[in-house]
Amino acid sequence: MSHIPHVAVFEHHSLMRRGLESLLSSSPLCHLTAVVAEPGGPGSAGLRVDAVVYGPPDNQLRGLAQGVRRLAAHGRVLVVSDFGGSESVTDVLRAGAYGCVSRQADDDELLRAVVTVARAGVHVDARLAPRLHTELRQSSAAPVSALARRESETLRWIAAGLTHGQIARRMNLTEATVSTYVKRIRSKLNVGNKADLTRKAIELGLLQEEPRPK
């Protein structure tokens, strides 16, 4: 039997908190471990789960990245916010969040995001994708000179969700060669798992023209 992820909710708004508690506690896809009003609140001491669903107060969006870094001690963070303030989606991902979901997301979208993040994947709500792409176009991307052209292409396909075998077929390479590229990328960029690679691709601006798997 596959592992059922343990999830905690940190949500400032009482109505949203009750809604998240109802949804997650009734879903067979996850096990709701704790519901807390804010980071550092009662019930959060020593808490460690697979995924943290974080709904920040609207008046604290400027410190959202700091909140993500703080909550990362409890588990992989999924931010639930419409990003109406100055905080950017890219800043939150760079701070260590594994996902961002709009408050307008439906139940199925939120549950998919929770499961993806709990499994160390990255999930960005389609409603936030235009904002993410705008931020990437406006930001000055970090230099990618450390990566060879084929390594950059490989990193883009990894961030797009392709497996090593799928990348090999698209790039007309052997799977062993793709694995070698991935090892070089991890070494050059000092990153570990797929989520870290995806965040690095975002940081480097490699998804400004995101490849679309067929």
Short mmCIF file of all heavy atoms in Angstrom, two decimals, residues 143-160 164 167 171 173 176-191 197-198 200-201 204 206-207 211:
data_model
loop_
_atom_site.label_atom_id
_atom_site.label_comp_id
_atom_site.label_asym_id
_atom_site.label_seq_id
_atom_site.Cartn_x
_atom_site.Cartn_y
_atom_site.Cartn_z
N PRO A 143 22.77 33.81 -14.49
CA PRO A 143 23.52 33.30 -15.64
C PRO A 143 23.45 31.79 -15.74
O PRO A 143 23.49 31.09 -14.74
CB PRO A 143 24.95 33.78 -15.35
CG PRO A 143 24.99 34.00 -13.88
CD PRO A 143 23.62 34.46 -13.50
N VAL A 144 23.36 31.28 -16.96
CA VAL A 144 23.30 29.83 -17.16
C VAL A 144 24.58 29.35 -17.86
O VAL A 144 24.60 28.25 -18.42
CB VAL A 144 22.07 29.43 -17.99
CG1 VAL A 144 20.80 29.72 -17.22
CG2 VAL A 144 22.06 30.16 -19.34
N SER A 145 25.63 30.19 -17.84
CA SER A 145 26.85 29.84 -18.55
C SER A 145 27.49 28.58 -17.98
O SER A 145 28.30 27.94 -18.66
CB SER A 145 27.84 31.00 -18.49
OG SER A 145 28.11 31.36 -17.14
N ALA A 146 27.15 28.24 -16.74
CA ALA A 146 27.74 27.04 -16.14
C ALA A 146 27.24 25.79 -16.83
O ALA A 146 27.91 24.74 -16.80
CB ALA A 146 27.40 26.98 -14.65
N LEU A 147 26.08 25.87 -17.48
CA LEU A 147 25.50 24.71 -18.15
C LEU A 147 25.76 24.74 -19.64
O LEU A 147 25.63 25.79 -20.29
CB LEU A 147 23.98 24.66 -17.91
CG LEU A 147 23.49 24.52 -16.47
CD1 LEU A 147 21.98 24.46 -16.44
CD2 LEU A 147 24.09 23.30 -15.80
N ALA A 148 26.10 23.59 -20.18
CA ALA A 148 26.20 23.46 -21.64
C ALA A 148 24.80 23.51 -22.24
O ALA A 148 23.80 23.34 -21.54
CB ALA A 148 26.89 22.14 -22.00
N ARG A 149 24.73 23.76 -23.55
CA ARG A 149 23.43 23.92 -24.20
C ARG A 149 22.54 22.70 -23.98
O ARG A 149 21.36 22.84 -23.65
CB ARG A 149 23.62 24.17 -25.70
CG ARG A 149 22.31 24.36 -26.47
CD ARG A 149 22.57 24.59 -27.94
NE ARG A 149 23.23 23.44 -28.56
CZ ARG A 149 22.56 22.37 -29.00
NH1 ARG A 149 21.24 22.29 -28.87
NH2 ARG A 149 23.22 21.36 -29.56
N ARG A 150 23.08 21.51 -24.15
CA ARG A 150 22.27 20.30 -24.00
C ARG A 150 21.88 20.08 -22.54
O ARG A 150 20.81 19.53 -22.27
CB ARG A 150 23.04 19.09 -24.53
CG ARG A 150 23.35 19.15 -26.01
CD ARG A 150 22.09 19.01 -26.86
NE ARG A 150 21.90 17.66 -27.32
CZ ARG A 150 20.83 17.24 -27.99
NH1 ARG A 150 19.85 18.09 -28.26
NH2 ARG A 150 20.72 15.99 -28.38
N GLU A 151 22.70 20.52 -21.62
CA GLU A 151 22.35 20.42 -20.20
C GLU A 151 21.20 21.36 -19.86
O GLU A 151 20.28 20.99 -19.12
CB GLU A 151 23.57 20.73 -19.34
CG GLU A 151 24.67 19.68 -19.43
CD GLU A 151 25.97 20.10 -18.82
OE1 GLU A 151 26.12 21.30 -18.47
OE2 GLU A 151 26.87 19.25 -18.69
N SER A 152 21.23 22.58 -20.42
CA SER A 152 20.13 23.52 -20.21
C SER A 152 18.83 22.97 -20.77
O SER A 152 17.76 23.07 -20.15
CB SER A 152 20.44 24.87 -20.87
OG SER A 152 21.55 25.49 -20.27
N GLU A 153 18.92 22.36 -21.95
CA GLU A 153 17.73 21.77 -22.57
C GLU A 153 17.19 20.63 -21.71
O GLU A 153 15.98 20.50 -21.51
CB GLU A 153 18.07 21.27 -23.97
CG GLU A 153 16.86 20.74 -24.75
CD GLU A 153 17.23 20.27 -26.15
OE1 GLU A 153 18.40 20.45 -26.55
OE2 GLU A 153 16.33 19.72 -26.83
N THR A 154 18.09 19.81 -21.18
CA THR A 154 17.68 18.71 -20.31
C THR A 154 16.98 19.23 -19.06
O THR A 154 15.94 18.70 -18.65
CB THR A 154 18.91 17.88 -19.90
OG1 THR A 154 19.53 17.33 -21.07
CG2 THR A 154 18.53 16.75 -18.97
N LEU A 155 17.53 20.29 -18.49
CA LEU A 155 16.93 20.85 -17.27
C LEU A 155 15.53 21.38 -17.56
O LEU A 155 14.61 21.22 -16.75
CB LEU A 155 17.82 21.96 -16.72
CG LEU A 155 17.32 22.66 -15.45
CD1 LEU A 155 17.07 21.66 -14.33
CD2 LEU A 155 18.33 23.73 -15.01
N ARG A 156 15.33 22.00 -18.72
CA ARG A 156 14.00 22.50 -19.09
C ARG A 156 13.00 21.35 -19.17
O ARG A 156 11.87 21.46 -18.69
CB ARG A 156 14.05 23.22 -20.44
CG ARG A 156 14.79 24.56 -20.42
CD ARG A 156 14.80 25.19 -21.79
NE ARG A 156 13.46 25.58 -22.19
CZ ARG A 156 13.03 25.59 -23.45
NH1 ARG A 156 13.82 25.19 -24.43
NH2 ARG A 156 11.80 25.98 -23.74
N TRP A 157 13.41 20.23 -19.78
CA TRP A 157 12.49 19.11 -19.92
C TRP A 157 12.19 18.47 -18.57
O TRP A 157 11.09 18.00 -18.32
CB TRP A 157 13.05 18.08 -20.90
CG TRP A 157 12.97 18.47 -22.34
CD1 TRP A 157 14.00 18.60 -23.22
CD2 TRP A 157 11.78 18.79 -23.08
NE1 TRP A 157 13.52 18.99 -24.45
CE2 TRP A 157 12.16 19.11 -24.40
CE3 TRP A 157 10.43 18.84 -22.75
CZ2 TRP A 157 11.25 19.46 -25.38
CZ3 TRP A 157 9.51 19.20 -23.73
CH2 TRP A 157 9.92 19.50 -25.03
N ILE A 158 13.18 18.41 -17.68
CA ILE A 158 12.95 17.89 -16.33
C ILE A 158 11.90 18.73 -15.62
O ILE A 158 10.96 18.22 -15.01
CB ILE A 158 14.26 17.87 -15.52
CG1 ILE A 158 15.21 16.80 -16.06
CG2 ILE A 158 13.99 17.62 -14.04
CD1 ILE A 158 16.59 16.84 -15.44
N ALA A 159 12.07 20.05 -15.71
CA ALA A 159 11.12 20.96 -15.06
C ALA A 159 9.73 20.85 -15.67
O ALA A 159 8.72 21.13 -15.01
CB ALA A 159 11.61 22.40 -15.14
N ALA A 160 9.65 20.44 -16.95
CA ALA A 160 8.36 20.27 -17.61
C ALA A 160 7.69 18.95 -17.24
O ALA A 160 6.57 18.69 -17.65
CB ALA A 160 8.53 20.34 -19.13
N HIS A 164 13.42 10.56 -17.61
CA HIS A 164 14.68 10.47 -18.33
C HIS A 164 14.48 9.79 -19.69
O HIS A 164 15.10 10.18 -20.69
CB HIS A 164 15.71 9.68 -17.50
CG HIS A 164 16.23 10.46 -16.32
ND1 HIS A 164 17.37 10.11 -15.65
CD2 HIS A 164 15.76 11.57 -15.69
CE1 HIS A 164 17.57 10.96 -14.66
NE2 HIS A 164 16.60 11.84 -14.67
N ILE A 167 12.86 12.25 -22.10
CA ILE A 167 13.84 13.26 -22.52
C ILE A 167 14.79 12.67 -23.55
O ILE A 167 15.13 13.32 -24.55
CB ILE A 167 14.62 13.79 -21.30
CG1 ILE A 167 13.68 14.54 -20.35
CG2 ILE A 167 15.76 14.72 -21.74
CD1 ILE A 167 14.31 14.91 -19.02
N MET A 171 15.40 14.21 -27.28
CA MET A 171 16.69 14.78 -27.63
C MET A 171 17.54 13.83 -28.48
O MET A 171 18.69 14.14 -28.79
CB MET A 171 17.43 15.16 -26.34
CG MET A 171 16.74 16.24 -25.54
SD MET A 171 17.56 16.64 -23.96
CE MET A 171 19.12 17.32 -24.56
N LEU A 173 18.83 10.91 -27.69
CA LEU A 173 19.98 10.47 -26.90
C LEU A 173 19.64 9.15 -26.24
O LEU A 173 18.49 8.71 -26.23
CB LEU A 173 20.31 11.50 -25.81
CG LEU A 173 20.65 12.93 -26.26
CD1 LEU A 173 20.70 13.84 -25.05
CD2 LEU A 173 21.99 12.95 -27.00
N ALA A 176 21.09 6.70 -20.74
CA ALA A 176 22.31 6.81 -19.96
C ALA A 176 22.95 8.18 -20.12
O ALA A 176 23.47 8.77 -19.16
CB ALA A 176 23.30 5.71 -20.36
N THR A 177 22.90 8.73 -21.35
CA THR A 177 23.46 10.06 -21.59
C THR A 177 22.67 11.12 -20.85
O THR A 177 23.24 12.06 -20.25
CB THR A 177 23.48 10.38 -23.10
OG1 THR A 177 24.28 9.42 -23.77
CG2 THR A 177 24.03 11.77 -23.36
N VAL A 178 21.34 10.99 -20.86
CA VAL A 178 20.50 11.94 -20.12
C VAL A 178 20.83 11.87 -18.63
O VAL A 178 20.95 12.91 -17.96
CB VAL A 178 19.01 11.64 -20.35
CG1 VAL A 178 18.14 12.50 -19.43
CG2 VAL A 178 18.64 11.90 -21.81
N SER A 179 20.99 10.68 -18.10
CA SER A 179 21.34 10.52 -16.68
C SER A 179 22.68 11.20 -16.38
O SER A 179 22.85 11.82 -15.32
CB SER A 179 21.40 9.04 -16.31
OG SER A 179 20.13 8.43 -16.44
N THR A 180 23.62 11.09 -17.31
CA THR A 180 24.91 11.77 -17.14
C THR A 180 24.74 13.28 -17.13
O THR A 180 25.34 13.98 -16.29
CB THR A 180 25.87 11.37 -18.28
OG1 THR A 180 26.11 9.97 -18.22
CG2 THR A 180 27.20 12.11 -18.14
N TYR A 181 23.90 13.80 -18.04
CA TYR A 181 23.62 15.24 -18.05
C TYR A 181 23.03 15.69 -16.70
O TYR A 181 23.42 16.74 -16.16
CB TYR A 181 22.65 15.59 -19.18
CG TYR A 181 23.24 15.62 -20.55
CD1 TYR A 181 22.42 15.58 -21.68
CD2 TYR A 181 24.61 15.71 -20.76
CE1 TYR A 181 22.95 15.61 -22.97
CE2 TYR A 181 25.15 15.74 -22.03
CZ TYR A 181 24.31 15.68 -23.13
OH TYR A 181 24.83 15.72 -24.40
N VAL A 182 22.08 14.90 -16.19
CA VAL A 182 21.42 15.27 -14.94
C VAL A 182 22.42 15.30 -13.79
O VAL A 182 22.40 16.20 -12.94
CB VAL A 182 20.27 14.29 -14.63
CG1 VAL A 182 19.68 14.58 -13.24
CG2 VAL A 182 19.17 14.41 -15.68
N LYS A 183 23.33 14.33 -13.76
CA LYS A 183 24.37 14.32 -12.71
C LYS A 183 25.24 15.56 -12.81
O LYS A 183 25.60 16.18 -11.80
CB LYS A 183 25.22 13.06 -12.84
CG LYS A 183 24.52 11.78 -12.45
CD LYS A 183 25.42 10.56 -12.65
CE LYS A 183 24.68 9.27 -12.30
NZ LYS A 183 25.52 8.07 -12.53
N ARG A 184 25.60 15.95 -14.05
CA ARG A 184 26.41 17.15 -14.23
C ARG A 184 25.66 18.40 -13.79
O ARG A 184 26.23 19.30 -13.16
CB ARG A 184 26.81 17.27 -15.71
CG ARG A 184 27.81 16.25 -16.19
CD ARG A 184 28.06 16.43 -17.67
NE ARG A 184 28.96 15.42 -18.22
CZ ARG A 184 29.20 15.26 -19.52
NH1 ARG A 184 28.57 16.04 -20.40
NH2 ARG A 184 30.03 14.31 -19.93
N ILE A 185 24.37 18.47 -14.13
CA ILE A 185 23.55 19.63 -13.74
C ILE A 185 23.49 19.76 -12.23
O ILE A 185 23.67 20.85 -11.66
CB ILE A 185 22.12 19.50 -14.33
CG1 ILE A 185 22.17 19.58 -15.86
CG2 ILE A 185 21.21 20.57 -13.77
CD1 ILE A 185 20.89 19.14 -16.53
N ARG A 186 23.23 18.63 -11.56
CA ARG A 186 23.16 18.66 -10.10
C ARG A 186 24.48 19.11 -9.48
O ARG A 186 24.50 19.85 -8.50
CB ARG A 186 22.75 17.29 -9.58
CG ARG A 186 21.29 16.97 -9.80
CD ARG A 186 20.95 15.55 -9.39
NE ARG A 186 19.51 15.33 -9.38
CZ ARG A 186 18.93 14.15 -9.34
NH1 ARG A 186 19.68 13.05 -9.32
NH2 ARG A 186 17.62 14.04 -9.34
N SER A 187 25.57 18.64 -10.05
CA SER A 187 26.88 19.00 -9.54
C SER A 187 27.18 20.48 -9.78
O SER A 187 27.63 21.20 -8.87
CB SER A 187 27.96 18.13 -10.20
OG SER A 187 29.25 18.52 -9.77
N LYS A 188 26.90 20.97 -11.01
CA LYS A 188 27.21 22.35 -11.34
C LYS A 188 26.35 23.35 -10.58
O LYS A 188 26.81 24.43 -10.19
CB LYS A 188 27.04 22.58 -12.85
CG LYS A 188 28.11 21.90 -13.70
CD LYS A 188 27.86 22.17 -15.19
CE LYS A 188 28.95 21.54 -16.05
NZ LYS A 188 28.74 21.80 -17.50
N LEU A 189 25.07 23.00 -10.37
CA LEU A 189 24.13 23.92 -9.73
C LEU A 189 23.97 23.64 -8.24
O LEU A 189 23.25 24.37 -7.55
CB LEU A 189 22.76 23.85 -10.42
CG LEU A 189 22.74 24.19 -11.91
CD1 LEU A 189 21.33 24.11 -12.45
CD2 LEU A 189 23.34 25.57 -12.16
N ASN A 190 24.62 22.57 -7.76
CA ASN A 190 24.57 22.20 -6.35
C ASN A 190 23.13 22.01 -5.87
O ASN A 190 22.69 22.60 -4.89
CB ASN A 190 25.27 23.27 -5.49
CG ASN A 190 25.50 22.79 -4.06
OD1 ASN A 190 25.63 21.60 -3.81
ND2 ASN A 190 25.54 23.73 -3.13
N VAL A 191 22.38 21.19 -6.61
CA VAL A 191 20.99 20.89 -6.25
C VAL A 191 20.82 19.38 -6.14
O VAL A 191 21.65 18.61 -6.62
CB VAL A 191 20.00 21.45 -7.29
CG1 VAL A 191 20.04 22.96 -7.31
CG2 VAL A 191 20.29 20.90 -8.68
N LEU A 197 15.62 20.88 -8.74
CA LEU A 197 15.95 21.14 -10.14
C LEU A 197 14.90 22.04 -10.79
O LEU A 197 15.22 22.94 -11.56
CB LEU A 197 16.06 19.82 -10.90
CG LEU A 197 17.29 18.95 -10.62
CD1 LEU A 197 17.12 17.57 -11.23
CD2 LEU A 197 18.56 19.61 -11.15
N THR A 198 13.62 21.78 -10.48
CA THR A 198 12.54 22.59 -11.05
C THR A 198 12.63 24.04 -10.57
O THR A 198 12.49 24.98 -11.36
CB THR A 198 11.17 22.00 -10.67
OG1 THR A 198 11.08 20.66 -11.18
CG2 THR A 198 10.04 22.83 -11.26
N LYS A 200 15.30 25.55 -9.59
CA LYS A 200 16.47 26.16 -10.22
C LYS A 200 16.17 26.56 -11.67
O LYS A 200 16.62 27.61 -12.14
CB LYS A 200 17.65 25.19 -10.17
CG LYS A 200 18.94 25.74 -10.77
CD LYS A 200 19.38 27.02 -10.08
CE LYS A 200 19.89 26.79 -8.67
NZ LYS A 200 20.52 28.01 -8.10
N ALA A 201 15.40 25.74 -12.38
CA ALA A 201 15.02 26.08 -13.75
C ALA A 201 14.20 27.37 -13.78
O ALA A 201 14.37 28.21 -14.66
CB ALA A 201 14.23 24.93 -14.38
N LEU A 204 16.56 30.31 -13.09
CA LEU A 204 17.41 30.61 -14.23
C LEU A 204 16.64 31.14 -15.43
O LEU A 204 17.23 31.49 -16.45
CB LEU A 204 18.19 29.36 -14.64
CG LEU A 204 19.20 28.82 -13.61
CD1 LEU A 204 19.83 27.54 -14.11
CD2 LEU A 204 20.26 29.86 -13.31
N LEU A 206 14.61 29.43 -17.33
CA LEU A 206 14.54 28.45 -18.41
C LEU A 206 13.12 28.09 -18.81
O LEU A 206 12.92 27.43 -19.82
CB LEU A 206 15.30 27.18 -18.00
CG LEU A 206 16.81 27.34 -17.82
CD1 LEU A 206 17.43 26.04 -17.36
CD2 LEU A 206 17.46 27.80 -19.13
N LEU A 207 12.12 28.50 -18.01
CA LEU A 207 10.74 28.19 -18.34
C LEU A 207 10.00 29.39 -18.90
O LEU A 207 8.78 29.39 -18.98
CB LEU A 207 10.00 27.67 -17.10
CG LEU A 207 10.56 26.39 -16.50
CD1 LEU A 207 9.64 25.86 -15.41
CD2 LEU A 207 10.75 25.32 -17.55
N PRO A 211 8.69 24.38 -22.60
CA PRO A 211 8.40 23.34 -23.59
C PRO A 211 7.16 22.59 -23.22
O PRO A 211 6.87 22.39 -22.05
CB PRO A 211 9.65 22.43 -23.50
CG PRO A 211 10.18 22.65 -22.13
CD PRO A 211 9.86 24.10 -21.80
#
